[in-house]
Amino acid sequence: MYWDELTADAFQKAVEETGVCVIPMGVVEKHGSHLPLGTDMIIGRTIAEMAAKIEPFVIFPYYCFGQINEARHMPGAIAVSPKMQMELLQEVVDEIRRNGFKKIVLLESHGGNINFLNYFLQGQLHEKRDYTVYKIGIFDILEPCMKAYPSPTEDGHAAKTETELVMAYHPELVHMDQVNPAGAPNQHRLDHMSGIGTPVSWYADHPTHQDGDPCTADREVGQKKYEMAAEYVAGLIKKIKEDEKTAELMQEYYSQW
């Protein structure tokens, strides 16, 4: 159920009945030349919606202020400062807690959010809190789907799987006639720096913001991948609902300050 579609009374009931709020964490960025800027948002919210039908929870409204500085050179990207990313997300989870939820889940739907959200989780221990933030990883969700339905070429950003997932329920937003074949190959411009990270590592490999060929994308396969992803996320949400140990350990940790 979507937070923003509930009445105030229905919202209060949903808090009491589910106890869990999920934030699909996407961004607005270029996805090749054939997918919409909101691809990550569409994928994250669709997985969440399908999972919530299996294991009910409340889905937070659209949240697009993740980490995407590597795409600031591309039209349409929304890249807020690193400091604002952290502060805004903290304000949001505090507001979710104020509205009654003690279990808040960050559902990654953008690979560039991985390090950001991992650090955000660590930062939760900086102050004493009476709620718990959990994270479900995007690649943990999608890798089993990609193995079940493999791609003949690299299946990264704006490639086969992401194209299939948008195509599955929003085919009108996919423009296969605009696929940029030059965007698929990895350019390997920093391979001589193997083992070393740099601020432009992603850009060096994928300056067109595409990683792989989407031309073999299949709408029905996208629907099947969604079903697999939803089942996986629903299973984790069930574990989170049953989890008492994390909150207990956090209070144990706080008691030693």
Side-chain angles (χ1 to χ4, degrees):
M1 62 196 82
Y2 287 116
W3 179 310
D4 44 306
E5 294 181 359
L6 296 169
T7 64
D9 291 341
F11 175 84
Q12 187 173 18
K13 184 178 180 181
V15 174
E16 295 169 356
E17 291 182 350
T18 72
V20 175
C21 180
V22 173
I23 314 176
M25 296 290 301
V27 293
V28 174
E29 61 165 331
K30 180 179 179 180
H31 278 76
S33 299
H34 63 293
L35 292 178
L37 294 165
T39 289
D40 294 335
M41 308 291 296
I42 292 168
I43 292 172
R45 282 173 66 85
T46 303
I47 292 173
E49 180 177 0
M50 293 176 70
K53 291 176 181 177
I54 302 169
E55 187 65 44
F57 55 84
V58 173
I59 305 167
F60 192 77
Y62 278 102
Y63 194 93
C64 66
F65 302 108
Q67 193 298 117
I68 192 56
N69 285 294
E70 65 272 24
R72 292 190 74 197
H73 64 303
M74 291 295 183
I78 299 176
V80 301
S81 70
K83 180 180 178 183
M84 178 59 72
Q85 290 167 22
M86 297 293 291
E87 292 181 350
L88 179 59
L89 184 54
Q90 189 62 63
E91 291 274 355
V92 166
V93 297
D94 286 344
E95 274 295 282
I96 293 172
R97 169 62 187 98
R98 187 183 64 80
N99 275 282
F101 292 101
K102 286 195 172 184
K103 293 184 176 182
I104 302 166
V105 182
L106 308 177
L107 178 65
E108 283 177 359
S109 58
H110 165 62
N113 278 339
I114 293 173
N115 292 332
F116 161 45
L117 296 183
N118 285 342
Y119 183 58
F120 183 81
L121 285 185
Q122 291 176 308
Q124 294 305 294
L125 297 179
H126 184 67
E127 295 180 9
K128 294 181 179 180
R129 308 182 194 280
D130 67 345
Y131 62 86
T132 304
V133 179
Y134 301 83
K135 191 197 79 163
I136 298 176
I138 183 62
F139 292 121
D140 294 333
I141 298 169
L142 293 184
E143 279 186 0
C145 304
M146 294 161 75
K147 287 180 180 178
Y149 299 94
S151 170
T153 63
E154 187 68 27
D155 192 9
H157 186 76
K160 184 177 185 289
T161 291
E162 286 197 315
T163 300
E164 287 172 337
L165 292 175
V166 179
M167 189 183 284
Y169 298 110
H170 298 278
E172 74 283 1
L173 299 180
V174 180
H175 308 282
M176 295 304 289
D177 59 322
Q178 298 177 26
V179 169
N180 176 13
N186 185 323
Q187 295 195 11
H188 299 287
R189 294 188 293 176
L190 282 179
D191 279 9
H192 65 289
M193 299 291 285
S194 177
I196 301 170
T198 77
V200 289
S201 292
W202 167 263
Y203 173 78
D205 290 339
H206 312 291
T208 65
H209 232 60
Q210 184 177 325
D211 178 19
D213 185 353
C215 289
T216 58
D218 183 295
R219 184 180 181 185
E220 291 186 4
V221 170
Q223 292 170 342
K224 291 174 182 177
K225 286 181 176 179
Y226 267 131
E227 292 170 4
M228 291 178 64
E231 289 280 355
Y232 177 80
V233 170
L236 295 184
I237 295 297
K238 187 174 187 297
K239 286 184 180 181
I240 288 170
K241 286 183 177 181
E242 295 170 351
D243 176 43
E244 296 180 1
K245 194 65 176 180
T246 302
E248 177 186 321
L249 290 172
M250 288 179 68
Q251 295 310 312
E252 177 185 306
Y253 168 80
Y254 293 142
S255 71
Q256 298 178 66
W257 283 18

